[in-house]
Amino acid sequence: MKTIAIILAAGSGRRLGSDLPKQFLEVEGRQVIEYTLYAFEKCAAVDEICVVTHQHHIPEIKSIAIRNGFHKLRDVITGGADRFSSSRAALEFYANESPETIIMFHDSVRPLIAPGTIEECVKEMECHDAVALGTPSTDTIWVLDSQTNIREIPPRGNLYNAQTPQCFRLGQISEAYSRAAADSGFVATDDCGVLLRYAPKCKIHVVKGSADNLKITYKEDLSLLATLLKSRSLVHDKQDESILSNKI
């Protein structure tokens, strides 16, 4: 099965308080998205990469690909105003691919994903409808009412924090997105939510992720990323090669 990695990089970075989108900020000599792309470039299970970004940043993404020799990065397309629109734009772009093609959505601002983890997700697609990365919740979660009072405390044992990549077969996720687009009352926060709502017969298998697969959201996350990059720069695991090696 062909595997295409869709890197979602159209975010504006408003929560970070930066004029420059967080995926283009520089940490330890590289832009955040460079670390992300390197991981997918090095993963043998990924056949090609597509970046979804704002039209103004398309030349920069192409420049990054040339500078780093990212040969799997075949396409850079314009994203939408939100995650749902960007994911749908990618699905429409690949509409002529086989319905069995594996589509992996990944946040460009999760730069610490390891090639071995990506490969594990792809392998799990051999026996599951869809696969997503997640970590068990270590905190108690509160469900609040409209007055910000605690309404419910769900059992923590069944709660996971969603991560990416999230993997689907093109035909199934495209159909789910088409149905979601026709429902004006639906709000998607990730791609699994779309499949769960509009293709409920498809089972989404969760692969245990890592706390290191952090999502850059706030300024403090950039400092944490720099610390992790420094602490792992001398570590090289041949079985699960990290983007944190000195090879980038």
Side-chain angles (χ1 to χ4, degrees):
M1 293 179 289
K2 184 178 182 179
T3 299
I4 301 173
I6 308 296
I7 309 301
L8 299 170
S12 63
R14 287 190 298 269
R15 282 181 290 181
L16 194 72
S18 170
D19 293 333
L20 189 67
K22 50 196 173 183
Q23 57 270 25
F24 296 108
L25 294 176
E26 188 173 300
V27 179
E28 292 298 301
R30 301 274 179 172
Q31 290 171 292
V32 170
I33 195 170
E34 287 186 76
Y35 296 108
T36 306
L37 290 170
Y38 182 83
F40 286 87
E41 177 74 24
K42 287 298 180 181
C43 180
V46 173
D47 295 301
E48 63 182 79
I49 302 168
C50 173
V51 174
V52 185
T53 191
H54 191 281
Q55 60 180 352
H56 294 160
H57 296 295
I58 288 178
E60 186 167 5
I61 294 294
K62 291 182 177 180
S63 176
I64 288 173
I66 294 171
R67 183 168 70 243
N68 290 278
F70 292 152
H71 303 296
K72 291 182 182 179
L73 180 50
R74 309 285 174 79
D75 297 290
V76 186
I77 66 174
T78 302
D82 52 28
R83 184 193 180 90
F84 180 91
S85 300
S86 291
S87 293
R88 193 178 183 208
L91 294 174
E92 291 176 348
F93 183 81
Y94 286 106
N96 292 328
E97 292 282 344
S98 166
E100 293 300 309
T101 298
I102 295 175
I103 296 291
M104 306 182 73
F105 289 106
H106 186 72
D107 300 320
S108 64
V109 289
R110 287 189 185 273
L112 301 185
I113 186 67
T117 302
I118 301 168
E119 187 168 0
E120 182 181 0
C121 290
V122 176
K123 184 174 179 59
E124 289 295 326
M125 284 295 293
E126 295 176 3
C127 51
H128 297 286
D129 296 328
V131 171
L133 205 61
T135 56
S137 176
T138 57
D139 295 319
T140 296
I141 302 297
W142 295 338
V143 179
L144 307 185
D145 61 21
S146 58
Q147 283 77 44
T148 65
N149 299 313
I150 297 175
R151 186 186 70 198
E152 180 185 356
I153 303 178
R156 192 171 65 188
N158 295 329
L159 299 178
Y160 268 62
N161 299 309
Q163 295 187 343
T164 61
Q166 296 179 1
C167 312
F168 313 91
R169 286 178 177 79
L170 177 60
Q172 292 175 335
I173 192 64
S174 295
E175 183 177 353
Y177 259 86
S178 294
R179 293 176 180 175
D183 184 354
S184 60
F186 177 69
V187 178
T189 57
D190 73 346
D191 303 291
C192 283
V194 177
L195 192 72
L196 192 65
R197 175 72 175 269
Y198 295 101
K201 291 184 179 180
C202 293
K203 302 299 182 183
I204 306 171
H205 178 70
V206 175
V207 170
K208 189 175 180 179
S210 168
D212 289 349
N213 186 23
L214 80 160
K215 183 178 182 181
I216 306 300
T217 305
Y218 303 106
K219 287 182 178 179
E220 295 79 6
D221 298 328
L222 293 171
S223 298
L224 178 58
L225 173 59
T227 299
L228 289 170
L229 287 167
K230 289 176 183 177
S231 68
R232 298 187 182 189
S233 62
L234 300 179
V235 176
H236 181 62
D237 185 339
K238 292 183 179 179
Q239 291 183 336
D240 188 17
E241 183 180 80
S242 173
I243 59 171
L244 305 177
S245 72
N246 284 322
K247 289 195 171 184
I248 186 170

Coordinates of all heavy atoms in Angstrom, one line a residue, residues 132-208:
A132 N -4.1 5.7 15.2 CA -3.7 7.0 15.7 C -2.7 6.8 16.9 O -2.7 5.8 17.6 CB -4.9 7.8 16.2
L133 N -1.9 7.8 17.1 CA -1.0 7.8 18.2 C -1.6 8.6 19.4 O -2.2 9.6 19.2 CB 0.3 8.5 17.7 CG 1.6 8.2 18.4 CD1 2.0 6.7 18.2 CD2 2.8 9.1 17.8
G134 N -1.3 8.0 20.5 CA -1.9 8.7 21.7 C -1.1 8.2 23.0 O -0.4 7.2 23.0
T135 N -1.3 9.0 24.0 CA -0.6 8.7 25.3 C -1.7 8.7 26.4 O -2.6 9.5 26.4 CB 0.5 9.7 25.7 OG1 -0.1 11.0 25.7 CG2 1.6 9.7 24.7
P136 N -1.5 7.7 27.4 CA -2.5 7.7 28.5 C -2.5 9.0 29.3 O -1.4 9.6 29.5 CB -2.0 6.5 29.4 CG -1.1 5.7 28.4 CD -0.5 6.7 27.5
S137 N -3.6 9.5 29.7 CA -3.7 10.7 30.4 C -3.2 10.4 31.9 O -3.5 9.5 32.5 CB -5.2 11.2 30.5 OG -5.2 12.3 31.4
T138 N -2.3 11.3 32.3 CA -1.7 11.2 33.6 C -2.4 12.1 34.6 O -2.2 12.1 35.8 CB -0.2 11.5 33.6 OG1 0.0 12.9 33.1 CG2 0.6 10.5 32.8
D139 N -3.3 13.0 34.1 CA -4.0 13.9 34.9 C -5.5 13.5 35.0 O -6.0 12.9 34.1 CB -4.0 15.4 34.3 CG -2.5 15.9 34.3 OD1 -1.8 15.7 35.3 OD2 -2.2 16.5 33.3
T140 N -6.1 13.9 36.1 CA -7.6 13.8 36.2 C -8.2 14.8 35.3 O -7.8 16.0 35.3 CB -8.0 14.0 37.6 OG1 -7.5 12.9 38.4 CG2 -9.5 13.9 37.7
I141 N -9.2 14.4 34.5 CA -9.9 15.3 33.6 C -11.2 15.7 34.1 O -12.0 14.9 34.5 CB -10.1 14.6 32.2 CG1 -8.7 14.2 31.6 CG2 -10.7 15.6 31.2 CD1 -7.7 15.3 31.4
W142 N -11.5 17.0 34.1 CA -12.8 17.5 34.5 C -13.6 17.9 33.3 O -13.2 18.5 32.4 CB -12.6 18.8 35.4 CG -11.9 18.5 36.7 CD1 -11.8 17.4 37.4 CD2 -11.2 19.5 37.5 NE1 -11.1 17.6 38.6 CE2 -10.7 18.9 38.6 CE3 -11.0 20.9 37.3 CZ2 -10.0 19.6 39.6 CZ3 -10.3 21.6 38.3 CH2 -9.8 20.9 39.4
V143 N -14.9 17.5 33.4 CA -15.9 18.0 32.4 C -16.7 19.1 33.1 O -17.3 18.8 34.1 CB -16.8 16.8 31.9 CG1 -17.8 17.4 30.9 CG2 -15.9 15.7 31.3
L144 N -16.7 20.3 32.5 CA -17.4 21.4 33.2 C -18.7 21.7 32.5 O -18.9 21.4 31.3 CB -16.5 22.7 33.1 CG -15.0 22.6 33.6 CD1 -14.4 23.9 33.5 CD2 -15.0 22.0 35.0
D145 N -19.6 22.3 33.3 CA -20.8 22.8 32.7 C -20.6 24.2 32.2 O -19.5 24.8 32.2 CB -22.0 22.7 33.7 CG -21.7 23.6 35.0 OD1 -20.9 24.5 34.9 OD2 -22.3 23.3 36.0
S146 N -21.7 24.8 31.7 CA -21.6 26.2 31.1 C -21.2 27.3 32.1 O -20.8 28.4 31.7 CB -23.0 26.5 30.5 OG -24.0 26.5 31.4
Q147 N -21.3 26.9 33.4 CA -21.0 27.9 34.5 C -19.6 27.6 35.0 O -19.2 28.1 36.1 CB -22.0 27.9 35.6 CG -23.3 28.6 35.3 CD -24.2 27.8 34.4 OE1 -24.4 26.6 34.6 NE2 -24.8 28.5 33.4
T148 N -18.8 26.8 34.3 CA -17.5 26.4 34.7 C -17.4 25.6 36.0 O -16.4 25.7 36.8 CB -16.5 27.5 34.7 OG1 -16.8 28.5 35.7 CG2 -16.4 28.2 33.4
N149 N -18.5 24.9 36.4 CA -18.5 24.0 37.5 C -18.2 22.6 37.0 O -18.6 22.2 35.9 CB -19.9 24.0 38.2 CG -20.3 25.4 38.7 OD1 -19.4 26.1 39.3 ND2 -21.5 25.8 38.4
I150 N -17.6 21.8 37.9 CA -17.3 20.4 37.5 C -18.6 19.6 37.4 O -19.3 19.6 38.4 CB -16.3 19.8 38.5 CG1 -15.0 20.5 38.5 CG2 -16.1 18.3 38.2 CD1 -14.0 20.0 39.6
R151 N -18.8 19.1 36.2 CA -20.0 18.3 36.0 C -19.8 16.8 36.1 O -20.6 16.0 36.5 CB -20.6 18.6 34.7 CG -22.0 18.0 34.4 CD -22.4 18.3 33.0 NE -21.6 17.6 32.0 CZ -21.5 17.9 30.7 NH1 -22.1 19.0 30.2 NH2 -20.7 17.2 29.9
E152 N -18.6 16.4 35.7 CA -18.3 15.0 35.6 C -16.8 14.8 35.6 O -16.0 15.6 35.2 CB -18.8 14.4 34.3 CG -18.6 13.0 34.0 CD -19.0 12.5 32.7 OE1 -19.6 13.3 31.9 OE2 -18.8 11.3 32.3
I153 N -16.4 13.7 36.2 CA -15.0 13.3 36.2 C -14.9 11.9 35.7 O -15.1 10.9 36.4 CB -14.3 13.3 37.7 CG1 -14.5 14.7 38.3 CG2 -12.9 12.9 37.6 CD1 -14.0 14.8 39.7
P154 N -14.6 11.7 34.4 CA -14.5 10.4 33.8 C -13.4 9.6 34.3 O -12.3 10.1 34.7 CB -14.4 10.7 32.3 CG -13.8 12.1 32.2 CD -14.3 12.8 33.4
P155 N -13.5 8.3 34.3 CA -12.4 7.4 34.7 C -11.1 7.6 33.9 O -11.2 7.6 32.7 CB -13.0 6.0 34.5 CG -14.4 6.1 34.4 CD -14.7 7.5 33.8
R156 N -10.1 7.9 34.6 CA -8.8 8.2 33.9 C -8.2 7.1 33.1 O -7.5 7.3 32.1 CB -7.8 8.7 34.9 CG -6.6 9.4 34.3 CD -5.7 10.0 35.3 NE -5.1 9.1 36.2 CZ -4.5 9.4 37.3 NH1 -4.3 10.6 37.7 NH2 -4.0 8.4 38.1
G157 N -8.5 5.9 33.5 CA -8.0 4.7 32.8 C -8.4 4.6 31.4 O -7.6 3.9 30.6
N158 N -9.5 5.2 31.0 CA -9.9 5.1 29.6 C -9.6 6.4 28.8 O -10.0 6.5 27.6 CB -11.4 4.9 29.5 CG -11.8 3.6 30.1 OD1 -11.1 2.6 30.0 ND2 -13.0 3.5 30.7
L159 N -8.9 7.3 29.4 CA -8.6 8.6 28.7 C -7.2 8.6 28.2 O -6.2 8.3 28.8 CB -8.8 9.8 29.7 CG -10.2 9.9 30.3 CD1 -10.2 11.1 31.3 CD2 -11.2 10.2 29.2
Y160 N -7.1 9.1 26.9 CA -5.8 9.2 26.2 C -5.7 10.6 25.7 O -6.7 11.2 25.3 CB -5.7 8.2 25.1 CG -5.0 6.9 25.5 CD1 -5.6 6.1 26.4 CD2 -3.9 6.5 24.9 CE1 -5.0 4.9 26.8 CE2 -3.2 5.3 25.2 CZ -3.8 4.5 26.2 OH -3.2 3.3 26.6
N161 N -4.5 11.1 25.6 CA -4.2 12.4 24.9 C -3.9 12.1 23.5 O -3.0 11.3 23.2 CB -3.0 13.1 25.6 CG -3.2 13.4 27.0 OD1 -4.2 14.0 27.4 ND2 -2.3 13.0 27.9
A162 N -4.6 12.8 22.6 CA -4.5 12.5 21.2 C -3.1 13.2 20.7 O -2.8 14.3 21.1 CB -5.6 13.1 20.4
Q163 N -2.5 12.4 19.8 CA -1.3 12.9 19.1 C -1.4 12.7 17.6 O -2.5 12.2 17.2 CB 0.0 12.2 19.7 CG 0.3 12.5 21.1 CD 1.6 11.9 21.6 OE1 2.2 11.0 20.9 NE2 2.2 12.4 22.7
T164 N -0.4 13.0 16.9 CA -0.3 12.6 15.5 C 1.1 11.9 15.3 O 2.0 12.2 16.1 CB -0.4 13.8 14.5 OG1 0.6 14.7 14.8 CG2 -1.8 14.5 14.7
P165 N 1.2 11.1 14.3 CA 0.3 10.9 13.1 C -1.0 10.2 13.4 O -1.1 9.4 14.3 CB 1.1 10.2 12.1 CG 2.1 9.4 12.9 CD 2.4 10.3 14.1
Q166 N -2.0 10.4 12.5 CA -3.2 9.7 12.5 C -3.4 9.2 11.1 O -3.3 9.9 10.1 CB -4.4 10.6 12.9 CG -4.3 11.1 14.3 CD -5.4 12.1 14.7 OE1 -6.3 12.3 13.9 NE2 -5.4 12.5 15.9
C167 N -3.6 7.9 11.0 CA -3.6 7.2 9.7 C -4.9 6.6 9.2 O -5.6 6.0 10.0 CB -2.6 6.0 9.7 SG -1.0 6.5 10.5
F168 N -5.2 6.7 7.9 CA -6.5 6.3 7.4 C -6.3 5.8 6.0 O -5.3 6.1 5.3 CB -7.5 7.5 7.3 CG -7.5 8.3 8.6 CD1 -6.7 9.4 8.8 CD2 -8.4 8.0 9.6 CE1 -6.7 10.2 9.9 CE2 -8.4 8.7 10.8 CZ -7.6 9.8 11.0
R169 N -7.3 5.1 5.5 CA -7.3 4.7 4.1 C -8.0 5.9 3.4 O -9.1 6.4 3.8 CB -8.0 3.4 3.9 CG -7.2 2.2 4.3 CD -7.8 0.9 4.1 NE -6.8 -0.2 4.5 CZ -6.5 -0.5 5.7 NH1 -7.2 0.1 6.7 NH2 -5.6 -1.4 6.0
L170 N -7.5 6.3 2.3 CA -8.0 7.5 1.6 C -9.5 7.4 1.3 O -10.2 8.4 1.5 CB -7.2 7.6 0.2 CG -7.6 8.8 -0.7 CD1 -7.5 10.1 0.1 CD2 -6.8 8.8 -1.9
G171 N -10.0 6.3 0.8 CA -11.4 6.2 0.5 C -12.3 6.4 1.7 O -13.3 7.2 1.6
Q172 N -11.9 5.9 2.8 CA -12.8 6.0 4.0 C -12.7 7.4 4.6 O -13.8 8.0 4.9 CB -12.3 5.0 5.1 CG -12.6 3.5 4.7 CD -12.0 2.5 5.7 OE1 -11.0 2.8 6.4 NE2 -12.6 1.4 5.8
I173 N -11.6 8.0 4.7 CA -11.5 9.3 5.3 C -12.0 10.4 4.4 O -12.6 11.3 4.9 CB -10.0 9.6 5.8 CG1 -10.0 10.9 6.7 CG2 -9.1 9.8 4.6 CD1 -10.7 10.7 8.0
S174 N -11.9 10.2 3.1 CA -12.5 11.1 2.2 C -14.0 11.2 2.2 O -14.6 12.2 2.2 CB -12.0 10.8 0.7 OG -10.6 11.0 0.6
E175 N -14.6 10.0 2.3 CA -16.0 9.9 2.4 C -16.5 10.5 3.7 O -17.5 11.3 3.7 CB -16.5 8.4 2.3 CG -18.0 8.3 2.4 CD -18.4 6.8 2.2 OE1 -17.6 6.0 2.0 OE2 -19.7 6.6 2.3
A176 N -15.8 10.3 4.8 CA -16.2 10.9 6.1 C -16.1 12.4 6.0 O -17.0 13.1 6.6 CB -15.3 10.3 7.2
Y177 N -15.0 12.9 5.4 CA -14.9 14.4 5.3 C -16.0 15.0 4.4 O -16.5 16.1 4.7 CB -13.5 14.7 4.7 CG -12.6 15.2 5.8 CD1 -11.8 14.2 6.5 CD2 -12.4 16.5 6.2 CE1 -11.0 14.6 7.6 CE2 -11.6 16.9 7.2 CZ -10.9 16.0 7.9 OH -10.0 16.4 8.9
S178 N -16.4 14.3 3.4 CA -17.5 14.8 2.5 C -18.8 14.9 3.3 O -19.5 15.9 3.2 CB -17.7 13.9 1.3 OG -16.6 13.9 0.5
R179 N -19.1 13.9 4.2 CA -20.3 13.9 5.0 C -20.2 15.1 6.1 O -21.1 15.7 6.3 CB -20.5 12.6 5.7 CG -20.8 11.5 4.7 CD -20.9 10.1 5.5 NE -21.2 9.0 4.6 CZ -21.3 7.8 4.9 NH1 -21.0 7.4 6.2 NH2 -21.6 6.8 4.1
A180 N -19.0 15.2 6.6 CA -18.8 16.3 7.6 C -19.0 17.7 7.0 O -19.5 18.6 7.7 CB -17.4 16.1 8.3
A181 N -18.5 17.8 5.8 CA -18.6 19.1 5.1 C -20.1 19.5 4.9 O -20.4 20.7 4.9 CB -17.9 19.1 3.8
A182 N -20.9 18.6 4.8 CA -22.4 18.8 4.6 C -23.1 19.1 5.9 O -24.3 19.4 5.9 CB -23.0 17.7 3.9
D183 N -22.4 18.9 7.1 CA -23.0 19.1 8.4 C -22.5 20.4 9.0 O -21.4 20.4 9.5 CB -22.7 17.9 9.3 CG -23.3 18.0 10.6 OD1 -24.0 19.0 11.0 OD2 -23.2 17.0 11.4
S184 N -23.3 21.4 8.9 CA -22.8 22.8 9.3 C -22.6 22.8 10.9 O -22.0 23.7 11.4 CB -23.8 23.8 8.9 OG -25.1 23.6 9.4
G185 N -23.2 21.9 11.6 CA -23.1 21.9 13.0 C -21.9 21.2 13.6 O -21.7 21.2 14.8
F186 N -21.2 20.5 12.7 CA -20.0 19.7 13.2 C -18.8 20.5 13.3 O -18.4 21.2 12.3 CB -19.8 18.5 12.3 CG -18.7 17.6 12.7 CD1 -18.7 16.9 13.9 CD2 -17.5 17.6 11.9 CE1 -17.6 16.1 14.3 CE2 -16.5 16.8 12.3 CZ -16.5 16.1 13.5
V187 N -18.0 20.4 14.4 CA -16.7 21.1 14.5 C -15.7 20.0 14.8 O -15.8 19.3 15.8 CB -16.7 22.1 15.7 CG1 -15.4 22.7 15.8 CG2 -17.8 23.2 15.4
A188 N -14.7 19.9 13.9 CA -13.6 18.9 14.1 C -12.4 19.5 14.7 O -12.0 20.6 14.4 CB -13.3 18.4 12.7
T189 N -11.8 18.8 15.7 CA -10.6 19.2 16.3 C -9.4 18.3 15.9 O -8.3 18.7 16.0 CB -10.7 19.1 17.8 OG1 -11.0 17.8 18.2 CG2 -11.7 20.1 18.4
D190 N -9.7 17.1 15.3 CA -8.7 16.3 14.7 C -9.4 15.4 13.7 O -10.6 15.4 13.5 CB -7.9 15.6 15.7 CG -8.6 14.4 16.3 OD1 -9.9 14.3 16.2 OD2 -8.0 13.5 17.0
D191 N -8.6 14.7 12.9 CA -9.1 13.8 11.8 C -9.8 12.6 12.3 O -10.7 12.1 11.7 CB -7.9 13.5 10.9 CG -7.2 14.7 10.3 OD1 -7.9 15.5 9.6 OD2 -6.1 15.0 10.8
C192 N -9.3 12.1 13.5 CA -10.0 10.9 14.0 C -11.5 11.3 14.4 O -12.4 10.4 14.3 CB -9.3 10.4 15.3 SG -7.8 9.5 15.0
G193 N -11.7 12.5 14.8 CA -13.1 12.9 15.2 C -14.0 12.9 14.0 O -15.2 12.5 14.2
V194 N -13.5 13.2 12.8 CA -14.3 13.1 11.6 C -14.7 11.7 11.3 O -15.8 11.4 11.0 CB -13.5 13.8 10.4 CG1 -14.4 13.7 9.1 CG2 -13.2 15.2 10.7
L195 N -13.7 10.8 11.3 CA -14.0 9.4 11.0 C -14.9 8.8 12.0 O -15.8 8.0 11.7 CB -12.7 8.6 10.9 CG -12.8 7.2 10.3 CD1 -13.0 7.3 8.8 CD2 -11.6 6.3 10.6
L196 N -14.7 9.1 13.3 CA -15.5 8.5 14.4 C -17.0 8.9 14.2 O -17.9 8.2 14.5 CB -15.0 9.0 15.7 CG -15.5 8.3 17.0 CD1 -15.2 6.8 17.0 CD2 -15.0 9.0 18.2
R197 N -17.2 10.2 13.8 CA -18.6 10.7 13.7 C -19.3 10.2 12.4 O -20.4 9.8 12.4 CB -18.5 12.2 13.7 CG -19.8 12.9 13.4 CD -20.8 12.8 14.6 NE -22.0 13.6 14.4 CZ -22.1 14.9 14.8 NH1 -21.1 15.5 15.4 NH2 -23.3 15.5 14.5
Y198 N -18.6 10.2 11.3 CA -19.2 9.9 10.0 C -18.9 8.6 9.4 O -19.4 8.3 8.3 CB -18.9 11.1 9.0 CG -19.5 12.4 9.5 CD1 -18.7 13.3 10.2 CD2 -20.8 12.6 9.4 CE1 -19.2 14.5 10.7 CE2 -21.4 13.8 9.9 CZ -20.6 14.7 10.5 OH -21.1 15.9 11.0
A199 N -18.0 7.8 10.0 CA -17.8 6.4 9.6 C -17.6 5.6 10.9 O -16.6 5.0 11.1 CB -16.6 6.3 8.7
P200 N -18.7 5.5 11.7 CA -18.6 4.9 13.0 C -18.2 3.4 13.0 O -17.8 2.9 14.0 CB -20.0 5.1 13.6 CG -20.9 5.4 12.5 CD -20.0 6.0 11.4
K201 N -18.4 2.7 11.8 CA -18.1 1.3 11.8 C -16.6 1.1 11.6 O -16.1 0.0 11.9 CB -18.8 0.7 10.6 CG -20.3 0.6 10.8 CD -21.0 -0.1 9.6 CE -22.5 -0.2 9.8 NZ -23.2 -0.9 8.7
C202 N -15.9 2.1 11.3 CA -14.4 2.0 11.2 C -13.8 2.1 12.6 O -14.1 3.1 13.3 CB -13.9 3.1 10.3 SG -14.3 3.0 8.6
K203 N -13.1 1.2 12.9 CA -12.4 1.1 14.3 C -11.0 1.8 14.2 O -10.2 1.5 13.3 CB -12.2 -0.3 14.8 CG -13.5 -1.1 14.9 CD -14.5 -0.4 15.9 CE -15.8 -1.2 16.0 NZ -16.8 -0.5 16.9
I204 N -10.8 2.7 15.1 CA -9.5 3.4 15.2 C -8.7 2.9 16.3 O -8.9 3.0 17.5 CB -9.8 4.9 15.4 CG1 -10.8 5.5 14.4 CG2 -8.4 5.7 15.4 CD1 -11.2 6.9 14.7
H205 N -7.6 2.2 15.9 CA -6.7 1.6 16.8 C -5.7 2.6 17.3 O -5.1 3.4 16.5 CB -6.0 0.4 16.1 CG -5.0 -0.3 17.0 ND1 -5.3 -1.0 18.1 CD2 -3.6 -0.3 17.0 CE1 -4.2 -1.5 18.7 NE2 -3.2 -1.0 18.0
V206 N -5.4 2.6 18.6 CA -4.4 3.6 19.2 C -3.1 2.9 19.5 O -3.0 1.9 20.1 CB -5.0 4.2 20.5 CG1 -4.0 5.1 21.1 CG2 -6.3 5.0 20.2
V207 N -2.1 3.5 18.9 CA -0.7 3.1 19.2 C -0.2 4.0 20.3 O -0.3 5.2 20.2 CB 0.2 3.2 17.9 CG1 1.7 3.0 18.3 CG2 -0.2 2.1 16.9
K208 N 0.5 3.4 21.3 CA 1.0 4.2 22.4 C 2.1 5.1 21.9 O 3.1 4.7 21.4 CB 1.4 3.4 23.6 CG 1.7 4.2 24.8 CD 2.1 3.2 26.0 CE 2.4 4.0 27.3 NZ 2.7 3.1 28.4

